[in-house]
Amino acid sequence: MAIKIFNTLTKQKEELIPIEPGKIRMYLCGPTVYDFFHIGNARPFIIYDIFRRYLSYRGFEVKFVMNITDIDDKIIKKSADEQVDAATVAQKYSDAFFEDIKKLGIQPADKYPRATENIPEIIALIEKLVDKGLAYVVDGDVFFSVSDFQNYGKLSGKNIDQLKSGARIEVDSRKKNPLDFALWKTVKEGEPYWDSPWGRGRPGWHIECSVMSMKCLGETFDIHAGGADLIFPHHENEIAQSEGATGKQFVRYWLHNGFLNIEGEKMSKSLGNFFTTREILTQYPAEVLRIFFLMKHYRSPVNFSEELVQQAQNALERIITTISNIDVALDQSQRELSGEAALTESIDALRDGFIAEMDDDFNTAGAMSKIFDLVKEANLILTKTQYSDADYLALQKIKETIVEFDSFLGILSYKQHQQTTITEEALIEILLNVRSELRRRKIFDLSDEIREKLIALGVEIHDRPDKPIWRKK
Ligand code: AMP
Ligand code: ZN
């Protein structure tokens, strides 16, 4: 069956037909490394990791590239604030980025090109645009001339006049059109710079992505992804630069995720309404964040609240508990199983349904509902007092199906995670709470036994009127 994806360029779901049969070349706009990334930024990192792995699961050979924007106004501002050079800021936060995406269970991209490592290629592309009359030089700055590119606005679905009235653009009398954007910025006092035919300066953000994506994936590639805030101007400008220079279609399918909102507003650094992914990861394991995003369609907005994350965690625990109950049941089977699994038709239908949902523009929310249905089927069997071979085989089949899908969902590692966080302190607290309850119910033989066993393990217990206190000898 064909995979369909919603293409922002055509505003419709289209069948995914790769340029080269069996191969997908995919680019995701990566982070600007001037700070720790927030949980809104984590949405594209997580969902496109899942999509990329799903495409591999469906048999495509996927080449996945994510850039690192390591020179930018925000990095320069941070370097001035922190009194260190821009390269130090970029290194610190790109190291942090790699640590955080690893913790999120994101598989490494095939390439992570950096803007500062591609300056000669960036200069070459700008020169080409100048030669073709699509860019012009003013006082050491180079601007792209949007009115000289025929299809400017095709991704946003607006013409230049509509875009002009909707955009917040700085007034710069040197530009021919207010929407013209900088390809090269002349150096200012104290800023990092590179030599170029237009003097010392640095590249604009949009040209970096055109250069790095085409260098790694070719002049025309299959999928370009990012958050919906990048449609205009970033991706619109990438199209203008790339197609202006090559005369070829730049990207076949454009994918954009919806925002993560907090109290109805987009989470963003500039609004200050953000939590860093690092902070959130101290409260919730990565698998909870993954299922939190999986339970929504990637193009829909998603609200971030304690309550919704907790719901995601409960849903994940339902899956994990069922799988471990299946393991316990299968351990008890202790015999060669034969015959056909129970519920075969319904398990197969849920399995096919899951794939059909994923094939339909990566509808992870619909796909997850099939997993929950599988879990329900398993629990119906697990409530029985005795299992037949057919029951055992059904449990096995359900587990294998979920484990197979986890090759791209990346949520089942949650259990191990939980185990590593069990502490001695937490267990002692649990035992002491049980002991208090036993005392309250006047079951003193058992409560004394807990006390003696803990003392034998070197735990001192002092009973206070409100609650016992303890310490290790
Ligand atoms: P930035 O570092 O701001 O360029 O953002 C990195 C990625 O995160 C881009 O793909 C943005 O579109 C995306 N992004 C930023 N804020 C949000 C948000 N609140 N919800 C979803 N995606 C976001
Ligand atoms: Zn980009």
Side-chain angles (χ1 to χ4, degrees), residues 46-101:
I46 291 175
I47 56 151
Y48 298 119
D49 170 61
I50 291 164
F51 297 177
R52 158 219 187 179
R53 281 154 74 170
Y54 180 67
L55 292 172
S56 299
Y57 168 82
R58 294 288 273 120
F60 292 100
E61 192 184 307
V62 182
K63 184 165 182 192
F64 181 67
V65 175
M66 187 190 323
N67 73 297
I68 305 287
T69 300
D70 61 351
I71 185 70
D72 173 88
D73 291 346
K74 292 174 197 149
I75 297 174
I76 293 171
K77 184 175 178 307
K78 187 91 171 203
S79 86
D81 293 349
E82 293 193 350
Q83 301 278 299
V84 287
D85 60 21
T88 308
V89 171
Q91 193 59 49
K92 174 177 168 186
Y93 292 107
S94 71
D95 289 349
F97 165 76
F98 286 112
E99 278 169 28
D100 291 351
I101 59 167

Side-chain angles (χ1 to χ4, degrees), residues 27 29-30 67 205 209 224 230 234-235 238:
Y27 183 87
C29 287
N67 73 297
W205 172 37
C209 273
H224 193 315
L230 301 188
H234 186 53
H235 290 162
E238 277 188 47

